[in-house]
Amino acid sequence: MTEAGSGIRIGLCGGTFDPFHRGHVEPVRAIFESMEWTTVVYVPAWAQPFKTGHTTSSPYHRHAMTVLGTIEDPRLEVSLVELEKECVSYTVETLRHFRSLHPQSTLDWIIGDDNLEKLLEWKSLDEIFELANFAVLTRLGPPARLDPALRRRVCPVQDRTTAGAIVFAENEALAVSSTRIRELVRTTGSAGDLLQPVVAEYINRSGLYRMTT
Ligand code: ATP
């Protein structure tokens, strides 16, 4: 899709959010204006193709944590579209949904750069590029590896159109992952400042992650 579009730019961020943490929200808020987003929608997955069997808290808790972690910023929303399907979520299906709602808008599927290595394995990747761009956030770790087959899609943020590109956001990396938080809560009872206080309180009150491996 290469038409000029509506001028509306929507960021979409899928994940298991098990739990939702500062790394999910702070980089997005930091680049919100430079990406010229109108809104960013978080899309908790019922289950992810690459993570089946890995989630340790229920979709209801993961949805609640995502809502709590975004509620203070009116630019951020949470979608139920994948949770309501109650099955493994494929990004291409989710993007068809958002594209039907926003036929003329720029859609940016936000991912951390840890996703780049497996990007070619995503279901219907060609169709995904017809539906949206990828906006890639830097995480701490080895430099992101992008398959040479995808390099022609890389372009500066301001040059992207409504779909089809890969853009690298210039965010400050935040060394936090849900895996690390689950481990910290299980072993020490607390994840320190890796979580927003309201999410930490929810985890504490709900007794999440204490008994998981
Ligand atoms: P886990 O440790 O359980 O694999 P995670 O911390 O990677 O989880 P996800 O729910 O899988 O969290 O992440 C959703 C999206 O947010 C993914 O695209 C992921 O790469 C991205 N993301 C997660 N943490 C960060 C971070 N610290 N900085 C930038 N992006 C992040």
Side-chain angles (χ1 to χ4, degrees):
M1 196 170 291
T2 54
E3 76 269 27
S6 62
I8 292 171
R9 297 181 183 84
I10 299 168
L12 301 163
C13 184
T16 39
F17 306 128
D18 188 19
F20 192 87
H21 56 66
R22 288 177 49 205
H24 293 130
V25 70
E26 290 184 15
V28 165
R29 293 178 69 177
I31 62 169
F32 194 96
E33 285 176 16
S34 63
M35 296 297 290
E36 299 186 276
W37 283 323
T38 312
T39 184
V40 168
V41 184
Y42 288 87
V43 190
W46 179 264
Q48 277 196 340
F50 294 125
K51 286 193 184 176
T52 43
H54 285 233
T55 56
T56 57
S57 57
S58 79
Y60 307 103
H61 283 311
R62 295 185 290 105
H63 174 255
M65 291 187 279
T66 307
V67 169
L68 287 171
T70 54
I71 201 142
E72 279 188 355
D73 190 333
R75 303 172 304 175
L76 309 180
E77 298 172 23
V78 181
S79 167
L80 290 171
V81 65
E82 291 194 2
L83 293 177
E84 286 179 340
K85 285 165 77 175
E86 300 192 5
C87 60
V88 168
S89 317
Y90 290 98
T91 300
V92 67
E93 292 160 12
T94 305
L95 282 171
R96 282 183 202 134
H97 165 80
F98 283 103
R99 180 51 77 196
S100 70
L101 295 178
H102 307 282
Q104 303 296 325
S105 302
T106 293
L107 298 183
D108 294 329
W109 189 258
I110 302 166
I111 55 172
D113 60 12
D114 54 305
N115 287 273
L116 288 180
E117 209 165 339
K118 283 194 172 177
L119 207 54
L120 282 178
E121 295 174 36
W122 286 31
K123 185 181 173 193
S124 306
L125 186 63
D126 288 343
E127 186 181 347
I128 289 177
F129 276 115
E130 286 171 22
L131 294 164
N133 303 302
F134 281 98
V136 184
L137 301 175
T138 304
R139 294 183 77 165
L140 274 191
R145 287 221 338 256
L146 183 63
D147 193 282
L150 295 172
R151 287 194 193 137
R152 68 182 175 86
R153 294 194 175 270
V154 176
C155 77
V157 163
Q158 65 275 13
D159 290 352
R160 75 198 194 280
T161 59
T162 54
I166 298 174
V167 299
F168 286 86
E170 290 183 11
N171 64 290
E172 202 174 305
L174 208 59
V176 47
S177 71
S178 297
T179 302
R180 176 81 184 124
I181 291 166
R182 292 193 299 270
E183 170 76 8
L184 278 170
V185 174
R186 185 175 60 81
T187 55
T188 72
S190 155
D193 63 358
L194 302 182
L195 292 161
Q196 294 157 285
V198 66
V199 178
E201 175 68 15
Y202 182 88
I203 289 172
N204 193 31
R205 279 203 210 181
S206 309
L208 301 183
Y209 308 117
R210 289 186 196 151
M211 302 303 290
T212 59
T213 53

